[in-house]
Amino acid sequence: QVQVTESGGGLVQAGGSLRLSCSVSGSDFSINAMAWYRQAPGKQRDWLATVTSGGSTNYADFVKGRFTISRDNAKNTVYLQMNSLKPEDTAVYYCNLLYIKYLTHYNSWGQGTQVTVSS
């Protein structure tokens, strides 16, 4: 079974930074892409950024220039560096994994990590 685990959330003041981590464990699988999403209370889950197996990255317009997604292939870990945080960035942040196992495509989510930005 492939598991996705986020960490690194917490409380930070506006203007501060946080780095989220998402680690993937399991066996006999290959990663297609990993992405970060977030969901604020009462709102839909929004896509933030994606990094593909080839290292290509894409960002939602509202995080460009502030958030950076990166990946450590050796550790099967993806990071989200968040700078210049604003109170409206407060949300639960989720990691999403697209992977292939035994020729079948899967989509898996982590449990989420809370980020709270105080004004």
Side-chain angles (χ1 to χ4, degrees):
Q1 183 176 352
V2 177
Q3 290 190 319
V4 180
T5 305
E6 303 99 334
S7 62
L11 175 64
V12 63
Q13 288 189 332
S17 298
L18 277 177
R19 189 178 81 155
L20 306 182
S21 299
C22 171
S23 61
V24 180
S25 61
S27 61
D28 300 322
F29 70 98
S30 61
I31 296 173
N32 280 347
M34 297 179 74
W36 286 98
Y37 289 72
R38 73 184 184 189
Q39 187 167 19
K43 296 189 176 182
Q44 67 182 20
R45 188 171 297 189
D46 291 326
W47 169 74
L48 301 176
T50 298
V51 58
T52 68
S53 58
S56 298
T57 58
N58 283 290
Y59 297 91
D61 287 342
F62 61 89
V63 301
K64 283 181 180 178
R66 295 195 302 129
F67 292 7
T68 302
I69 191 170
S70 61
R71 180 175 164 182
D72 185 333
N73 290 334
K75 296 181 179 179
N76 274 348
T77 299
V78 67
Y79 304 97
L80 186 68
Q81 178 66 42
M82 305 186 294
N83 299 327
S84 302
L85 284 164
K86 307 172 184 179
E88 51 264 43
D89 292 319
T90 295
V92 178
Y93 283 69
Y94 295 92
C95 181
N96 177 255
L97 170 68
L98 300 177
Y99 67 99
I100 298 174
K101 188 177 177 75
Y102 304 136
L103 303 180
T104 301
H105 292 258
Y106 294 92
N107 183 355
S108 184
W109 293 89
Q111 80 289 348
T113 185
Q114 175 71 46
V115 171
T116 302
V117 184
S118 63
S119 57

